[in-house]
């Protein structure tokens, strides 16, 4: 596998704000991936960043000992962020990667909602989060029936073979009722929808428990965001579409919630998970807990999980009122995250994180930190 010519080699001195970042926070996130890959290596992305080239960096990261566990509140005894910066500069070479049109990339934000939920249906709590149905099967070219949409990665198993699964409207109208799939019940349909969008949530259960739900599968149809629908119909100007403006519109038009949401045919199924460390997010596609402000979702077909990305988004100030220039670690993906310079920034858990995530939609320059050995091979 050869390194894509889409990467343009740079020096660390060319990365705006590189010296001012907290590289130690990024190292903590990187180290989690370093341990995960001992059990299950990541697959290499199509742009040629070979997973095996990370071996030396991962080995050194694992050798840094922790007093207890690797949480944001319990950092490794690297003496300071400058040592962490040295780690990345020893092992990696930065390379700019532009969008498919050669211009700037785009970053958005995602978070983990925290909502109240009930273990049983009540008059107040009547909106379910569902687990994966038994008749939902993975579908690919090996078992896809002739004529089925090639986009579909899931299908419904029937005696006559796989067919497209029930969509959001059919499920919310009762297609899966009576199958015992309910994990928990929420009070608000819009809250449930945004949990589907984020792919995870923490649930404060009415019986006193704290639990987490994370993505398990989906019905398979294409995602159609309500913001796109509401802007196309003239309800919200495109430049003003945010999670907050969408929520406000739904609050003002409760009689039209189903009309808009059912146009998004995709439906998400969940599984229960523990909340082992309250400072961290859910375990995501790279199979490590997400780190607020340091984990980024990327196009996993193009990129290799575990890759550090330095993101320069000077117009983004929602995190700390300063231009966003941070080292992030690729540890998640999403169906809307497509292209070489497209990323989704994990902002954390709860309402404050949601306020940040809901307004992030900014141009950004993407610099992948590529293992030095890959550039040496490319120069041969």
């Amino acid at each position: 596998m050869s390194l894509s010519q889409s990467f343009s080699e740079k020096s660390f001195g060319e990365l705006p704000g590189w010296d001012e970042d907290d590289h130690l926070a990024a190292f903590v996130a990187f180290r989690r991936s370093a341990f995960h890959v001992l059990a299950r290596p990541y697959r290499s992305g199509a742009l040629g960043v070979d997973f095996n080239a990370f071996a030396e960096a991962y080995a050194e990261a694992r050798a840094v000992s922790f007093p207890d566990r690797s949480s944001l509140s319990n950092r490794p005894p690297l003496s300071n962020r400058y040592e962490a910066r040295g780690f990345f500069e020893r092992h990696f070479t930065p390379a700019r990667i532009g969008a498919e049109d050669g211009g700037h990339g785009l970053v958005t934000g995602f978070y983990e909602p925290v909502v109240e939920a009930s273990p049983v249906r009540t008059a107040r709590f009547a909106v379910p989060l569902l687990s994966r149905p038994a008749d939902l099967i993975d579908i690919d070219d090996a078992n896809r029936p002739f004529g089925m949409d090639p986009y579909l990665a899931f299908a419904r198993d029937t005696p006559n073979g796989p067919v497209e699964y029930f969509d959001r409207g059919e499920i919310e109208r009762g297609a899966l009722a009576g199958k015992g799939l309910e994990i928990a019940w929420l009070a608000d349909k819009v809250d449930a929808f945004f949990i589907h969008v984020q792919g995870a949530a923490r649930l404060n259960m009415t019986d006193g428990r704290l639990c987490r739900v994370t993505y398990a599968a989906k019905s398979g149809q294409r995602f159609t965001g309500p913001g796109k629908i509401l802007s196309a119909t003239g309800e919200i100007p495109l430049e003003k579409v945010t999670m907050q403006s969408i929520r406000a519109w739904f609050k003002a038009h409760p009689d039209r919630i189903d009309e808009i949401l059912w146009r998004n045919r995709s439906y998400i199924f969940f599984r229960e998970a523990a909340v082992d460390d309250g400072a961290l997010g859910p375990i995501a596609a790279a199979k490590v807990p997400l780190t607020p402000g340091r984990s980024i979702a990327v196009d996993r077909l193009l990129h290799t999980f575990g890759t550090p990305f330095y993101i320069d988004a000077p117009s983004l100030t929602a995190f700390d009122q300063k231009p966003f220039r941070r080292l992030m670690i690729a540890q998640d993906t999403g169906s809307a995250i497509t292209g070489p310079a497209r990323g989704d920034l994990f902002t954390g858990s709860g309402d404050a994180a949601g306020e940040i995530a809901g307004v992030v939609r900014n141009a950004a320059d993407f610099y992948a930190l590529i293992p030095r050995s890959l550039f040496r091979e490319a120069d041969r």
Side-chain angles (χ1 to χ4, degrees):
M1 175 181 288
S2 59
L3 192 63
S4 171
Q5 294 184 349
S6 301
F7 292 110
S8 175
E9 185 175 354
K10 301 293 180 180
S11 68
F12 283 100
E14 292 178 276
L15 306 188
W18 171 256
D19 291 348
E20 284 73 49
D21 191 24
D22 182 2
H23 306 87
L24 186 56
F27 177 82
V28 173
F30 180 82
R31 187 175 181 271
R32 293 191 183 96
S33 284
F35 276 99
H36 168 74
V37 300
L38 290 174
R40 187 174 181 181
Y42 296 137
R43 70 182 186 188
S44 300
L47 294 181
V49 179
D50 186 353
F51 163 78
N52 295 305
F54 288 87
E56 184 178 333
Y58 279 152
E60 182 176 330
R62 289 192 294 266
V64 176
S65 62
F66 281 71
D68 290 306
R69 62 185 182 182
S70 54
S71 71
L72 290 177
S73 59
N74 189 10
R75 288 177 168 174
L78 249 58
S79 62
N80 53 50
R81 66 186 179 89
Y82 302 106
E83 289 190 14
R85 186 182 76 188
F87 167 86
F88 289 109
E89 292 178 351
R90 280 195 308 278
H91 289 286
F92 298 97
T93 297
R96 186 181 185 278
I97 183 165
E100 290 166 316
D101 62 3
H104 297 292
L106 174 69
V107 290
T108 49
F110 74 110
Y111 77 113
E112 181 185 40
V114 178
V115 299
E116 189 178 8
S118 171
V120 296
R121 181 170 185 166
T122 68
R124 178 186 172 197
F125 295 97
V127 182
L129 298 177
L130 302 182
S131 60
R132 179 171 180 158
D135 61 353
L136 181 69
I137 60 172
D138 294 357
I139 201 81
D140 56 28
D141 290 342
N143 63 346
R144 187 186 311 280
F146 178 78
M148 177 177 280
D149 185 348
Y151 176 86
L152 296 176
F154 296 92
R156 182 160 59 94
D157 193 23
T158 76
N160 297 320
V163 299
E164 181 179 330
Y165 209 78
F166 302 118
D167 68 8
R168 173 175 297 277
E170 291 171 317
I171 292 170
E172 293 192 352
R173 289 191 295 269
L176 298 178
K179 296 184 180 294
L181 301 176
E182 296 83 5
I183 297 174
W185 299 83
L186 307 185
D188 186 86
K189 179 171 287 190
V190 175
D191 281 345
F193 176 78
F194 279 104
I195 290 173
H196 282 224
V197 172
Q198 305 302 323
R202 291 189 202 183
L203 306 180
N204 291 317
M205 304 297 286
T206 55
D207 60 9
R209 292 179 296 126
L210 174 65
C211 67
R212 169 177 274 148
V213 290
T214 62
Y215 170 91
K218 57 184 178 180
S219 59
Q221 296 88 358
R222 289 168 177 80
F223 175 84
T224 304
K228 181 177 181 180
I229 297 168
L230 293 172
S231 65
T233 56
E235 297 290 341
I236 303 177
L238 180 60
E239 67 275 11
K240 294 186 177 180
V241 170
T242 65
M243 183 179 69
Q244 290 87 335
S245 67
I246 294 169
R247 280 186 173 275
W249 190 92
F250 282 136
K251 186 175 182 179
H253 301 84
D255 57 320
R256 296 185 63 189
I257 291 175
D258 287 341
E259 171 199 336
I260 302 300
L261 294 188
W262 288 351
R263 289 177 65 177
N264 171 45
R265 301 184 63 219
S266 176
Y267 189 92
I268 304 300
F269 301 102
F270 297 92
R271 62 179 179 83
E272 293 187 70
V275 182
D276 294 321
D277 188 333
L280 299 177
I283 293 175
K287 305 305 180 186
V288 296
L290 297 175
T291 302
R294 293 294 167 175
S295 293
I296 186 171
V298 298
D299 187 335
R300 71 179 305 178
L301 297 180
L302 299 179
H303 296 299
T304 304
F305 280 156
T307 300
F309 280 87
Y310 189 71
I311 305 299
D312 175 26
S315 67
L316 172 55
T317 59
F319 278 78
D320 52 13
Q321 309 308 309
K322 298 186 297 184
F324 188 92
R325 293 181 168 117
R326 289 193 189 185
L327 186 59
M328 311 287 288
I329 311 300
Q331 293 177 322
D332 201 5
T333 192
S335 58
I337 310 304
T338 59
R342 177 72 175 90
D344 212 13
L345 311 175
F346 179 64
T347 64
S349 304
D351 291 343
E355 287 298 310
I356 297 172
V359 298
V360 178
R361 188 175 184 85
N362 297 79
D365 285 330
F366 282 62
Y367 299 90
L369 269 57
I370 294 173
R372 288 186 174 275
S373 62
L374 294 180
F375 271 112
R376 290 196 294 268
E377 292 175 4
D379 291 338
R380 292 174 187 168

